[in-house]
PDB file of all heavy atoms in Angstrom:
ATOM      1  N   ASP A1685    -104.723  26.351 -37.010  1.00 95.00           N
ATOM      2  CA  ASP A1685    -103.721  25.708 -36.160  1.00 95.00           C
ATOM      3  C   ASP A1685    -102.370  25.564 -36.843  1.00 95.00           C
ATOM      4  O   ASP A1685    -101.329  25.676 -36.186  1.00 95.00           O
ATOM      5  CB  ASP A1685    -104.241  24.335 -35.709  1.00 95.00           C
ATOM      6  CG  ASP A1685    -105.355  24.456 -34.683  1.00 95.00           C
ATOM      7  OD1 ASP A1685    -105.043  24.673 -33.506  1.00 95.00           O
ATOM      8  OD2 ASP A1685    -106.530  24.369 -35.070  1.00 95.00           O
ATOM      9  N   GLY A1686    -102.363  25.295 -38.154  1.00 96.00           N
ATOM     10  CA  GLY A1686    -101.098  25.206 -38.864  1.00 96.00           C
ATOM     11  C   GLY A1686    -100.311  26.503 -38.830  1.00 96.00           C
ATOM     12  O   GLY A1686     -99.142  26.523 -38.394  1.00 96.00           O
ATOM     13  N   PRO A1687    -100.889  27.626 -39.274  1.00 96.00           N
ATOM     14  CA  PRO A1687    -100.171  28.908 -39.173  1.00 96.00           C
ATOM     15  C   PRO A1687     -99.829  29.306 -37.740  1.00 96.00           C
ATOM     16  O   PRO A1687     -98.757  29.870 -37.491  1.00 96.00           O
ATOM     17  CB  PRO A1687    -101.155  29.902 -39.810  1.00 96.00           C
ATOM     18  CG  PRO A1687    -101.976  29.069 -40.748  1.00 96.00           C
ATOM     19  CD  PRO A1687    -102.124  27.754 -40.065  1.00 96.00           C
ATOM     20  N   PHE A1688    -100.735  29.032 -36.783  1.00 96.00           N
ATOM     21  CA  PHE A1688    -100.445  29.362 -35.389  1.00 96.00           C
ATOM     22  C   PHE A1688     -99.208  28.610 -34.901  1.00 96.00           C
ATOM     23  O   PHE A1688     -98.356  29.164 -34.198  1.00 96.00           O
ATOM     24  CB  PHE A1688    -101.635  29.022 -34.504  1.00 96.00           C
ATOM     25  CG  PHE A1688    -102.811  29.952 -34.667  1.00 96.00           C
ATOM     26  CD1 PHE A1688    -102.786  30.985 -35.592  1.00 96.00           C
ATOM     27  CD2 PHE A1688    -103.955  29.794 -33.899  1.00 96.00           C
ATOM     28  CE1 PHE A1688    -103.871  31.833 -35.751  1.00 96.00           C
ATOM     29  CE2 PHE A1688    -105.036  30.637 -34.045  1.00 96.00           C
ATOM     30  CZ  PHE A1688    -104.992  31.656 -34.976  1.00 96.00           C
ATOM     31  N   LEU A1689     -99.109  27.333 -35.263  1.00 96.00           N
ATOM     32  CA  LEU A1689     -97.963  26.530 -34.862  1.00 96.00           C
ATOM     33  C   LEU A1689     -96.678  27.082 -35.469  1.00 96.00           C
ATOM     34  O   LEU A1689     -95.644  27.183 -34.785  1.00 96.00           O
ATOM     35  CB  LEU A1689     -98.172  25.075 -35.279  1.00 96.00           C
ATOM     36  CG  LEU A1689     -97.004  24.120 -35.022  1.00 96.00           C
ATOM     37  CD1 LEU A1689     -96.691  24.040 -33.530  1.00 96.00           C
ATOM     38  CD2 LEU A1689     -97.312  22.735 -35.582  1.00 96.00           C
ATOM     39  N   VAL A1690     -96.711  27.447 -36.734  1.00 96.00           N
ATOM     40  CA  VAL A1690     -95.522  27.992 -37.394  1.00 96.00           C
ATOM     41  C   VAL A1690     -95.061  29.279 -36.713  1.00 96.00           C
ATOM     42  O   VAL A1690     -93.853  29.465 -36.455  1.00 96.00           O
ATOM     43  CB  VAL A1690     -95.810  28.233 -38.890  1.00 96.00           C
ATOM     44  CG1 VAL A1690     -94.651  28.968 -39.537  1.00 96.00           C
ATOM     45  CG2 VAL A1690     -96.071  26.915 -39.604  1.00 96.00           C
ATOM     46  N   VAL A1691     -96.005  30.163 -36.407  1.00 95.00           N
ATOM     47  CA  VAL A1691     -95.645  31.429 -35.761  1.00 95.00           C
ATOM     48  C   VAL A1691     -95.038  31.176 -34.388  1.00 95.00           C
ATOM     49  O   VAL A1691     -94.012  31.784 -34.020  1.00 95.00           O
ATOM     50  CB  VAL A1691     -96.882  32.340 -35.648  1.00 95.00           C
ATOM     51  CG1 VAL A1691     -96.574  33.557 -34.773  1.00 95.00           C
ATOM     52  CG2 VAL A1691     -97.324  32.801 -37.023  1.00 95.00           C
ATOM     53  N   ARG A1692     -95.623  30.285 -33.625  1.00 95.00           N
ATOM     54  CA  ARG A1692     -95.097  30.015 -32.279  1.00 95.00           C
ATOM     55  C   ARG A1692     -93.711  29.369 -32.341  1.00 95.00           C
ATOM     56  O   ARG A1692     -92.855  29.654 -31.490  1.00 95.00           O
ATOM     57  CB  ARG A1692     -96.082  29.144 -31.509  1.00 95.00           C
ATOM     58  CG  ARG A1692     -97.348  29.903 -31.101  1.00 95.00           C
ATOM     59  CD  ARG A1692     -98.248  29.085 -30.219  1.00 95.00           C
ATOM     60  NE  ARG A1692     -99.261  29.934 -29.601  1.00 95.00           N
ATOM     61  CZ  ARG A1692    -100.573  29.830 -29.815  1.00 95.00           C
ATOM     62  NH1 ARG A1692    -101.032  28.900 -30.644  1.00 95.00           N
ATOM     63  NH2 ARG A1692    -101.422  30.635 -29.222  1.00 95.00           N
ATOM     64  N   LEU A1693     -93.490  28.520 -33.308  1.00 95.00           N
ATOM     65  CA  LEU A1693     -92.146  27.946 -33.463  1.00 95.00           C
ATOM     66  C   LEU A1693     -91.131  29.018 -33.851  1.00 95.00           C
ATOM     67  O   LEU A1693     -89.979  28.997 -33.385  1.00 95.00           O
ATOM     68  CB  LEU A1693     -92.173  26.824 -34.508  1.00 95.00           C
ATOM     69  CG  LEU A1693     -92.946  25.561 -34.117  1.00 95.00           C
ATOM     70  CD1 LEU A1693     -92.946  24.562 -35.265  1.00 95.00           C
ATOM     71  CD2 LEU A1693     -92.364  24.928 -32.859  1.00 95.00           C
ATOM     72  N   ILE A1694     -91.546  29.954 -34.716  1.00 92.00           N
ATOM     73  CA  ILE A1694     -90.660  31.054 -35.082  1.00 92.00           C
ATOM     74  C   ILE A1694     -90.348  31.923 -33.861  1.00 92.00           C
ATOM     75  O   ILE A1694     -89.200  32.355 -33.658  1.00 92.00           O
ATOM     76  CB  ILE A1694     -91.291  31.897 -36.208  1.00 92.00           C
ATOM     77  CG1 ILE A1694     -91.370  31.083 -37.498  1.00 92.00           C
ATOM     78  CG2 ILE A1694     -90.495  33.177 -36.439  1.00 92.00           C
ATOM     79  CD1 ILE A1694     -92.098  31.792 -38.625  1.00 92.00           C
ATOM     80  N   VAL A1695     -91.361  32.177 -33.038  1.00 91.00           N
ATOM     81  CA  VAL A1695     -91.156  32.990 -31.841  1.00 91.00           C
ATOM     82  C   VAL A1695     -90.152  32.322 -30.904  1.00 91.00           C
ATOM     83  O   VAL A1695     -89.269  32.990 -30.337  1.00 91.00           O
ATOM     84  CB  VAL A1695     -92.504  33.222 -31.124  1.00 91.00           C
ATOM     85  CG1 VAL A1695     -92.282  33.857 -29.750  1.00 91.00           C
ATOM     86  CG2 VAL A1695     -93.403  34.116 -31.960  1.00 91.00           C
TER      87      VAL A1695
END
Side-chain angles (χ1 to χ4, degrees):
D1685 288 280
F1688 288 2
L1689 176 61
V1690 172
V1691 171
R1692 288 186 166 116
L1693 292 177
I1694 293 175
V1695 170

